[in-house]
Structure formats: structure tokens, C-alpha cells
Amino acid sequence: MKCPVCGAVYRPTKGSRETGKDEELVSISTSSPSPTCRRCKADLSDLFHIHDHAIWYHRQALHLLSQKLYPEAATYNNQALVLYYSNADFHTLAGKLSALQGEWREAILSWQQALKFDPQNAIASNCLQMIELMTRN
Ligand SMILES: [Zn+2]
């Protein structure tokens, strides 16, 4: 997630440090009632609200996936993508849901998107490699 004003990158959900990226990572206090960008002081509460909403849709999608309700899960996950398109996890799940419904072309596109936003995404790259092996034979 990026500050829309100055482009500073926020990673509020993951605790693990990522290295080797040239983007500046800015920590943010999520406990404060109105989060602000540390660099440009912009009010980011709306952005965080949208982000929370997207995560909520994504969690609903995961829940529906566990109940094998794939089309319903895809609907929720698409809502998450509308709100937060640059989240690689959402694209990874979209790919999985497409694959489970036999829509391999969509699945490949989703995993490629996931890798675009997160080149280290193991699930997406593994799935694409698997498909490549399958189509080679
Ligand atoms: Zn900013």
C-alpha cells in the first residue's frame, strides 16, 4: 500500500521485514485513531479504511473457499481487488479460484498479476511453473 500523496510505501499487515527492495518502507502507527503519513503528513485514514474493507472481503473469500463455494468466493475476492488491486495475495487467490473452476486462462492471468505486484510470491510462481510443465508434455 502506498501513500497516494508522496508515494511512501506502507506495510501495515506483515511483521516480517523485507529486504532488497529499493522502495522506502515507512512504518505507521495503526493504533493511532487517524493514521497519517510520516513523510508528508497526509491523513491516510480513508486509505486504511478501504484497505481494511478489502482485507475483510478477502477473508470472506477464504472462508467460502474452505466451504468449496468457489463462485461465491470469487465474487468476494473480486470486491477485494476492486478496493485494493495491487495486493498480490488477492490475485493469488483469484488464480486459485479460477483454477478450481477449470478456468485456466484466467488463473494464469491472475497469477501473472500476482507476480507483477510481488515477484517473490511463491504460490503464484509455483502454480505457473506447474502449468508450464503440464502444457509442455
Ligand atoms: Zn505521504
Side-chain angles (χ1 to χ4, degrees), residues 3 5-6 10 37 40:
C3 169
V5 183
C6 71
Y10 293 95
C37 176
C40 72

Side-chain angles (χ1 to χ4, degrees), residues 39-56:
R39 197 203 265 167
C40 72
K41 309 290 181 212
D43 184 354
L44 299 177
S45 49
D46 281 353
L47 191 69
F48 271 67
H49 187 73
I50 289 168
H51 177 257
D52 286 350
H53 224 82
I55 297 291
W56 183 84

Side-chain angles (χ1 to χ4, degrees), residues 83-123:
L83 293 171
Y84 189 7
Y85 191 74
S86 60
N87 187 309
D89 291 339
F90 298 175
H91 289 286
T92 306
L93 180 60
K96 188 175 179 178
L97 289 167
S98 295
L100 285 165
Q101 295 175 89
E103 294 163 355
W104 291 98
R105 190 188 291 260
E106 282 81 4
I108 291 167
L109 289 173
S110 291
W111 287 325
Q112 285 172 343
Q113 278 300 97
L115 285 179
K116 207 174 95 183
F117 293 116
D118 178 15
Q120 318 289 322
N121 193 296
I123 297 171

Side-chain angles (χ1 to χ4, degrees), residues 1-109:
M1 186 162 60
K2 278 187 180 181
C3 169
V5 183
C6 71
V9 179
Y10 293 95
R11 297 194 177 263
T13 48
K14 284 186 185 168
S16 61
R17 293 269 166 90
E18 289 183 44
T19 52
K21 299 221 169 148
D22 51 3
E23 289 169 309
E24 185 188 346
L25 298 180
V26 186
S27 63
I28 194 162
S29 164
T30 45
S31 56
S32 91
S34 124
T36 49
C37 176
R38 274 204 195 164
R39 197 203 265 167
C40 72
K41 309 290 181 212
D43 184 354
L44 299 177
S45 49
D46 281 353
L47 191 69
F48 271 67
H49 187 73
I50 289 168
H51 177 257
D52 286 350
H53 224 82
I55 297 291
W56 183 84
Y57 278 119
H58 182 65
R59 293 220 177 102
Q60 297 297 310
L62 287 172
H63 178 67
L64 290 163
L65 169 66
S66 71
Q67 299 182 330
K68 296 189 165 45
L69 298 168
Y70 306 134
E72 291 82 356
T75 302
Y76 274 92
N77 195 56
N78 286 339
Q79 284 296 319
L81 280 168
V82 166
L83 293 171
Y84 189 7
Y85 191 74
S86 60
N87 187 309
D89 291 339
F90 298 175
H91 289 286
T92 306
L93 180 60
K96 188 175 179 178
L97 289 167
S98 295
L100 285 165
Q101 295 175 89
E103 294 163 355
W104 291 98
R105 190 188 291 260
E106 282 81 4
I108 291 167
L109 289 173

